[in-house]
Amino acid sequence: MTQHTSYAAVVLAADRTANDAVASQAGVACKAFASVGGTPMIIRVLDALAATHRVQSIILCGPPEALLPQCPELVKRIESGQIIWVANENSPSRSAHKALAQVNEHTRVLLTTADHALLTPEIVQYFLEVSSAVDCDVTVGMTDYELIKAAFPGRKKTVIRLRDGNFCGCNLYTFNQQGRELISFWRRAEEQRKRPWRLVGRVLGWRAVLSYLFGFLTMTQALKSVSAKTGVRIQAIRLPFAEAGIDVDKAEDLQLVESHLNKR
């Protein structure tokens, strides 16, 4: 990679389950259409990506085609060619695999989600600048839990507790051609995302899981072990933005992000 590396952005926008709680709370057909600051979340994410000069194209995976007319602005962007839409699969990892297949294998991919309601061009640009400067196949955005806790007190997050810090995922990833092999690992991670020690045990072995449980495992050690198992070089990118670690998973998250935007 070089300082001029450009990316195709992939946005996952389908609900995980029927009758999504956020969609029900917002009175919309799917979570991605829920309004935040007067704008559907999906449009906020697309705007953040479009304003980032490293993002050269955007592929949207989901929502289902039958629901698209309920977001006229999204339909307009698809019809104009600003956005390429593909139908989603039955899980985020399968949807990601399908969407990445639409991108030339030599083009680096940025992956994110439509419920990243507080995503900004600044966050995206920072993540891509740092990702472009490292020699690896996959980068994973992470934010210090203490940063999120200070900015969003009371917000419950899945926390990865390691010797060198407590981290939260940011739904921001980049992949090169070799890095796309990591999607199969992600499928296993989907099943264990609320019980990370089980994933560590299955993929890295029980010596690693004991290190994790007793606080001896570092981020670098964990990712090196995954790289050894998968043949994919992975690096975590620590993002200095609390907002990067916030997505809209629950109905109460809508109020949280609205309140944050009002304060800002």
Side-chain angles (χ1 to χ4, degrees), residues 182-196:
L182 198 63
I183 297 299
S184 60
F185 174 79
W186 183 18
R187 291 182 183 178
R188 283 175 280 171
E190 280 183 342
E191 299 170 0
Q192 304 297 340
R193 71 190 188 97
K194 297 302 183 183
R195 298 178 178 85

Side-chain angles (χ1 to χ4, degrees), residues 20 30 40 98 103 185 210-211 225 252 261 263:
D20 180 85
C30 69
K98 180 177 182 178
V103 181
F185 174 79
L210 289 174
S211 294
S225 296
E252 54 265 33
L261 285 175
K263 291 177 183 178

Side-chain angles (χ1 to χ4, degrees), residues 8-80:
V10 168
V11 182
L12 304 182
D15 290 343
R16 283 179 177 267
T17 60
N19 303 314
D20 180 85
V22 175
S24 298
Q25 171 75 14
V28 292
C30 69
K31 180 169 71 170
F33 297 163
S35 177
V36 172
T39 302
M41 285 196 295
I42 180 58
I43 300 301
R44 294 181 61 86
V45 170
L46 295 176
D47 284 346
L49 295 172
T52 307
H53 75 266
R54 286 188 180 270
V55 174
Q56 301 301 310
S57 61
I58 302 174
I59 297 172
L60 180 65
C61 190
E65 188 172 15
L67 303 182
L68 294 180
Q70 299 191 42
C71 186
E73 176 60 26
L74 181 57
V75 172
K76 178 181 176 182
R77 297 187 187 199
I78 294 171
E79 291 179 344
S80 70

Side-chain angles (χ1 to χ4, degrees), residues 194-229:
K194 297 302 183 183
R195 298 178 178 85
W197 58 91
R198 290 189 179 180
L199 179 66
V200 172
R202 290 183 181 183
V203 177
L204 308 183
W206 284 103
R207 179 175 296 178
V209 84
L210 289 174
S211 294
Y212 171 77
L213 289 174
F214 287 101
F216 299 143
L217 194 65
T218 67
M219 178 68 74
T220 299
Q221 290 169 338
L223 293 181
K224 279 186 176 179
S225 296
V226 175
S227 296
K229 291 283 186 177

Side-chain angles (χ1 to χ4, degrees), residues 8 15 36 60 82 89 124 128 133 141 154 156 166 172 183 186 214 218-219 227 229 237-238 248 262:
D15 290 343
V36 172
L60 180 65
Q82 295 179 56
E89 296 294 328
V124 178
L128 295 184
K156 294 182 179 180
N166 300 321
L172 287 168
I183 297 299
W186 183 18
F214 287 101
T218 67
M219 178 68 74
S227 296
K229 291 283 186 177
I237 306 297
R238 294 174 73 164
V248 181
N262 289 336

